[in-house]
Amino acid sequence: MAMTTALLVVALSAFALAAGTTREPLRRTTFGEYEARGLVCNDGTPAGFFFRPAVEGSPMAAEWLVHLQGGHWCWDDATCMERNASSPSMMSSKWWPDSMSGLSGIFSDDPVANPSFWAANQVYVTYCTSDAHTGDRDPLSSASPWFFRGKRVVASVFEELNQKMGLHTATRVTFSGCSAGARGVIANVDAVAQLVAKYAPQAEFRAFADAGWWNDIEPFDKDVVSLQEQTKLAVAYFNGKADDDCMQVMTEQDYWKCFFAMYVKPFIDSAVFWQAEQYDAWQLSWDGVSPPFTRAESSYASSFASDIRGFMQGVADEGKHDGVFSPSCWDHCMSESQQFYRVQVESHTLRDTLQSWLEGAHTAPVIENCTAFNCSTNCIASW
């Protein structure tokens, strides 16, 4: 029988105190021979990731967390030029620090705040390809000088971890991502599961998609480029590659649907834990709605929240191996912040629900059924 979350927290806390554990930062690693291998950021600088090994002697010494950073994308020459001007570190490794520390959520080194991963081998895959970790294209011209190699970067991270960091000894691998990183998880999850089975055949593989469930809904602001239209343009622009089974079934005109969880989920074989805020702050803001709402905006946001509740209940009703946490909060990407263990739905936190699911326990879906805005416990004030 799986150890309960409460007992596990006590055990891990005792281990941490006894060991006097202070974790080292995650250290930057960039790929060797990156040009020949095509493992590059948009500007041709080397792609890579940040890594710190597990706490020696801990119960998590053979457990791994591999997390894809989020940060939207660009979908044509103009939006990529704008992205480079406003967020150059999202398109290049030139400005990456040597190390990362002081992180929260699933990268916290506090065993109480983060019982699932605090002492595990941790990998933070920095996002510099602007393609939701799915692209596969070289520069086209001086007017379109960008590489898009997110798809091969994801695969090569696991190859590198196997060759140099000891992934082959893993007993559990959790593949996670937030926002565009979550969409990268959705697009790559079954392919990554195959890599893990190859490199660490004894390892249990799980996935965690945080705030990556895009809703196929027309934007409130009719002047913005809809998420649907962005995706259609992006797939063609950077040769986006989503789940193979989905893209083999869809016509080229409908490839974009393979980048939306609501359409691709039936093709995914791997176990995935879905975290979806019912008032996703990024999606609603992009669609032209943010608090304080007008009456029309409130109606739109409520309809959006109802859709998300319905999608998450549909996942739960399948009765398969997936997990669900869906609070009624104006938020986005809870896994990388204190909201990971603060927000509650009927006393359940994302931290505890995810931990129970990872342990293999039968985990009831946690879906907020109150219908008011920000009605889950400890939602962040939105204005």
Side-chain angles (χ1 to χ4, degrees):
M1 182 178 294
M3 183 183 293
T4 66
T5 299
L7 288 176
L8 181 62
V9 168
V10 171
L12 293 178
S13 299
F15 174 85
L17 288 171
T21 304
T22 301
R23 296 206 66 180
E24 63 182 71
L26 287 89
R27 305 289 182 185
R28 182 181 64 187
T29 295
T30 50
F31 292 107
E33 301 181 351
Y34 61 93
E35 291 177 315
R37 299 165 69 192
L39 301 177
V40 294
C41 300
N42 292 126
D43 68 344
T45 54
F49 54 90
F50 287 76
F51 170 72
R52 65 178 170 191
V55 175
E56 187 174 354
S58 82
M60 296 183 184
E63 297 182 12
W64 289 72
L65 170 68
V66 182
H67 184 77
L68 305 183
Q69 182 186 19
H72 200 34
W73 60 10
C74 55
W75 56 89
D76 57 22
D77 290 343
T79 55
C80 289
M81 289 296 183
E82 291 171 5
R83 182 178 177 86
N84 189 53
S86 62
S87 305
S89 64
M90 300 297 290
M91 301 186 76
S92 175
S93 60
K94 291 178 184 176
W95 295 276
W96 290 1
D98 292 331
S99 64
M100 298 172 62
S101 59
L103 303 179
S104 189
I106 58 175
F107 284 93
S108 170
D109 55 12
D110 180 347
V112 176
N114 183 26
S116 300
F117 307 112
W118 76 274
N121 297 277
Q122 296 180 346
V123 183
Y124 191 91
V125 183
T126 326
Y127 182 38
C128 66
T129 56
S130 306
D131 56 8
H133 307 275
T134 68
D136 189 27
R137 195 207 85 179
D138 281 334
L140 297 180
S141 66
S142 58
S144 187
W146 313 113
F147 295 87
F148 295 92
R149 292 301 188 189
K151 190 78 171 182
R152 69 174 63 182
V153 166
V154 170
S156 296
V157 166
F158 286 87
E159 180 182 1
E160 194 91 350
L161 295 176
N162 179 58
Q163 292 178 350
K164 299 180 179 179
M165 280 82 172
L167 179 69
H168 60 280
T169 66
T171 57
R172 185 170 77 194
V173 177
T174 303
F175 179 43
S176 68
C178 156
S179 192
R183 291 189 291 116
V185 167
I186 295 164
N188 290 287
V189 61
D190 282 349
V192 167
Q194 293 176 11
L195 291 175
V196 171
K198 173 184 176 181
Y199 297 139
Q202 73 286 351
E204 177 188 26
F205 177 77
R206 294 295 184 99
F208 172 29
D210 177 17
W213 192 291
W214 275 6
N215 189 5
D216 183 6
I217 185 174
E218 288 302 310
F220 182 84
D221 182 352
K222 304 306 180 186
D223 292 329
V224 304
V225 181
S226 70
L227 299 182
Q228 300 90 322
E229 184 62 23
Q230 285 180 35
T231 307
K232 293 173 186 178
L233 294 169
V235 171
Y237 182 64
F238 53 63
N239 192 28
K241 304 291 187 182
D243 178 86
D244 285 343
D245 291 340
C246 182
M247 294 194 76
Q248 288 174 11
V249 169
M250 296 292 181
T251 65
E252 186 173 350
Q253 184 178 1
D254 285 336
Y255 279 169
W256 67 274
K257 291 184 177 180
C258 297
F259 294 77
F260 276 62
M262 57 193 294
Y263 300 121
V264 74
K265 187 188 175 303
F267 297 94
I268 295 175
D269 295 322
S270 303
V272 180
F273 188 100
W274 305 89
Q275 195 291 121
E277 298 93 344
Q278 293 174 18
Y279 291 88
D280 186 291
W282 188 90
Q283 285 191 62
L284 284 169
S285 294
W286 182 270
D287 284 343
V289 171
S290 59
F293 300 130
T294 65
R295 180 174 297 180
E297 289 171 341
S298 179
S299 176
Y300 181 93
S302 294
S303 178
F304 181 99
S306 178
D307 286 348
I308 298 299
R309 281 194 300 276
F311 294 139
M312 293 300 101
Q313 190 60 56
V315 172
D317 289 345
E318 289 178 3
K320 296 171 73 173
H321 46 209
D322 287 4
V324 172
F325 186 86
S326 182
S328 179
C329 286
W330 176 266
D331 211 328
H332 187 70
C333 279
M334 293 170 58
S335 62
E336 296 185 24
S337 74
Q338 295 180 2
Q339 297 302 86
F340 178 62
Y341 56 84
R342 289 188 73 254
V343 168
Q344 297 180 24
V345 176
E346 296 182 354
S347 79
H348 300 286
T349 64
L350 173 57
R351 172 196 62 193
D352 297 339
T353 309
L354 175 63
Q355 174 62 25
S356 179
W357 181 78
L358 289 171
E359 288 176 358
H362 175 70
T363 306
V366 177
I367 303 170
E368 183 63 83
N369 289 315
C370 65
T371 57
F373 174 72
N374 253 8
C375 59
S376 294
T377 303
N378 294 332
C379 293
I380 295 174
S382 55
W383 62 84

